[in-house]
Amino acid sequence: MNSENAYTLSKTLLDILACPACKGEIQHDEAAQKLVCVGECRRRYPIREGIPVMLIDEAEMPGE
């Protein structure tokens, strides 16, 4: 992904977001443009046009 399409999320937003599946902490993977659950389920949520898509059905499971 080129830098034109990379988005940065504010620390404030990351501090209040939680994984909707397991309520775990979320970290931003800027290179992949995903929000990664560091809690129990380890789901990865996409970021589309700078907007986090925090829907369980849209998440990738570990190993996918």
Side-chain angles (χ1 to χ4, degrees), residues 33-59:
Q33 283 300 289
K34 299 204 182 283
L35 293 178
V36 180
C37 172
V38 294
E40 184 179 319
C41 73
R42 316 298 270 180
R43 284 177 167 87
R44 296 182 310 266
Y45 298 92
I47 299 171
R48 297 188 184 125
E49 296 182 21
I51 301 169
V53 181
M54 301 293 292
L55 300 171
I56 295 171
D57 292 342
E58 295 285 325

Side-chain angles (χ1 to χ4, degrees), residues 2 10 18 32-33 51 60-62:
N2 65 33
S10 73
Q33 283 300 289
I51 301 169
E60 296 174 0
M61 294 298 294

